[in-house]
Amino acid sequence: MKLGLMATILLGLAVEVFAQARKPTTVAEIATYLGADREQLLYAGAKSEGVVNWYTSLAGDSYKALARAFEAKYPGLRVEAFRAGGSDLVVRMSEEIKARRPAMDALETTYDFMMVSRAGNLTRPYNSPALAAYPREAKEKADKGLTSWTIFRESYMGFGFSKEQIPASAVPKGFDGLLHPQLKGKLGITLNESSARMIGAMIKIKGEAFVKKLKAQEIRIFTVSSAALVDLMASGELGASFHIYRNHAMVSAERGSPASWVPMELVPTNSGCVGLSAQPPHPFAASLFVDFLLGAEARKVLEKFQYGHPTNAVPFKRWHPGFGRSVEQFEKDSEKWEKLAKEITQR
């Protein structure tokens, strides 16, 4: 072997050994480190930090169950969870950054608010060994092979109804079925982003003129969350709604309520994504928590609450309203859908 080639090989080995020996210290290095000792290194650093501040849009007991599972896996660490809707999370994070007091370590919210967070430089790209198990479409690409956010749970929106109030013959098999005479006066919605997105799905399949026909169904407005509409079905106050999440209906049915759910031709899919703070006050704990959320243990917790996963096959057509749109385009579409939702409920 020539001396020049030998020297090159030895130099390469030396560089590799140095790289392996050098441990991450900056936030950027911690967020992208993929050494074989990643979990051990992150846990050691996290124990000195003691806490991870998690901002999440997950509702009900699911986020609490995830926090407990993380704390059980990593003794000595505590999850401080702040739960709010995506728009409220963005406002809170923005105000903290302006005040130069960033508090968030890890973020979980829907695709649209992840776009807003990235546009506002509230999150940073990251890497994780858990990403190898995710399909390409579930990962938002960033530069240098990194990921801006990852979809780790899905909620599927469709027609939810009370089996005690809606006969099987009136349960729609598609959007046209929403005009069934037996549904008149039985439908209810809440004027929020969920109903707006279902309106968007209807327009995509049937057109705007179809949506306007729904006004004849005497749809009632409820000032509650989409999840609470299922509770109203369980109590007998509401017959059905076209923007009910499958997991909410299934969990209610498991508790003995008459709630049920069917998909439409197009199923708006609420995608919960995992992001990393641009300035995490606890960088080791933040990256360790991101790994956990993307891992198999967190997935099992979410499955208990009937959430879907991007790797699961489903017997209907998913539709992610924000995919392929800029923040501005999506906001413009949402305003149109919200306006139509109000129009069909006006008396």
Side-chain angles (χ1 to χ4, degrees):
M1 184 179 292
K2 295 182 179 180
L3 290 177
L5 179 58
M6 176 66 77
T8 300
I9 293 174
L10 291 174
L11 178 60
L13 289 172
V15 170
E16 184 178 348
V17 169
F18 176 78
Q20 291 176 346
R22 185 176 182 278
K23 301 304 180 185
T25 55
T26 67
V27 172
E29 290 172 343
I30 294 168
T32 58
Y33 182 70
L34 287 180
D37 62 341
R38 175 182 169 90
E39 183 179 24
Q40 179 183 2
L41 182 143
L42 293 180
Y43 185 27
K47 282 193 288 188
S48 67
E49 296 166 345
V51 65
V52 57
N53 295 326
W54 182 32
Y55 287 15
T56 178
S57 295
L58 274 165
D61 294 328
S62 55
Y63 75 94
K64 298 174 185 177
L66 285 169
R68 289 193 298 269
F70 178 79
E71 292 170 346
K73 183 175 183 179
Y74 298 107
L77 299 185
R78 187 177 77 259
V79 178
E80 290 290 345
F82 174 74
R83 194 273 158 195
S87 57
D88 292 333
L89 291 179
V90 170
V91 170
R92 182 183 176 106
M93 292 184 293
S94 299
E95 290 177 347
E96 290 172 350
I97 292 297
K98 288 177 184 177
R100 297 184 180 181
R101 291 198 299 265
M104 178 192 71
D105 288 309
L107 175 65
E108 186 283 328
T109 191
T110 52
Y111 183 93
D112 47 337
F113 292 112
M114 276 294 180
M115 289 195 293
V116 174
S117 298
R118 180 177 62 182
N121 296 316
L122 303 175
T123 57
R124 69 164 55 244
Y126 60 85
N127 214 331
S128 170
L131 289 173
Y134 283 77
R136 177 183 54 80
E137 58 270 19
K139 297 176 283 191
E140 181 71 12
K141 286 185 178 180
D143 293 337
K144 300 179 181 179
L146 300 178
T147 298
S148 291
W149 62 76
T150 312
I151 297 173
F152 88 127
R153 53 101 175 171
E154 293 181 335
S155 299
Y156 310 116
M157 198 189 306
F159 184 81
F161 62 100
S162 166
K163 290 186 287 187
E164 292 180 351
Q165 294 196 53
I166 307 300
S169 59
V171 175
K173 294 180 172 61
F175 290 128
D176 283 334
L178 294 175
L179 298 174
H180 195 290
Q182 286 182 282
L183 295 181
K184 187 172 183 177
K186 299 276 190 175
L187 295 171
I189 67 171
T190 183
L191 295 176
N192 62 10
E193 60 190 33
S194 297
S195 57
R197 290 174 188 178
M198 184 57 89
I199 295 294
M202 292 181 198
I203 293 173
K204 196 171 180 67
I205 297 297
K206 301 294 296 180
E208 191 172 325
F210 169 81
V211 175
K212 292 180 178 180
K213 290 180 182 179
L214 290 173
K215 186 171 184 177
Q217 291 296 71
E218 299 179 0
I219 300 170
R220 291 183 290 164
I221 298 175
F222 290 87
T223 55
V224 297
S225 67
S226 297
L229 287 177
V230 179
D231 297 332
L232 295 178
M233 292 176 199
S235 66
E237 296 177 60
L238 174 65
S241 177
F242 54 67
H243 69 100
I244 297 298
Y245 287 108
R246 184 184 71 166
N247 54 301
H248 294 157
M250 293 176 72
V251 169
S252 181
E254 287 175 352
R255 294 171 178 166
S257 87
S260 191
W261 184 93
V262 294
M264 299 287 97
E265 296 102 311
L266 196 62
V267 174
T269 300
N270 203 26
S271 306
C273 309
V274 175
L276 180 65
S277 171
Q279 302 176 42
H282 311 104
F284 287 98
S287 288
L288 186 65
F289 193 63
V290 165
D291 283 358
F292 172 78
L293 290 179
L294 296 177
E297 289 159 294
R299 179 177 176 179
K300 289 179 181 177
V301 171
L302 290 174
E303 285 175 347
K304 292 178 181 178
F305 291 89
Q306 302 297 339
Y307 282 103
H309 195 269
T311 60
N312 291 347
V314 290
F316 46 76
K317 186 176 181 180
R318 294 177 174 102
W319 179 52
H320 299 272
F323 281 23
R325 289 181 170 90
S326 66
V327 174
E328 293 76 15
Q329 289 171 328
F330 185 67
E331 288 179 346
K332 184 178 180 180
D333 287 340
S334 296
E335 287 175 5
K336 177 182 178 180
W337 302 338
E338 288 169 7
K339 182 180 178 182
L340 277 170
K342 290 178 182 178
E343 286 181 11
I344 64 173
T345 54
Q346 288 176 345
R347 295 290 175 265

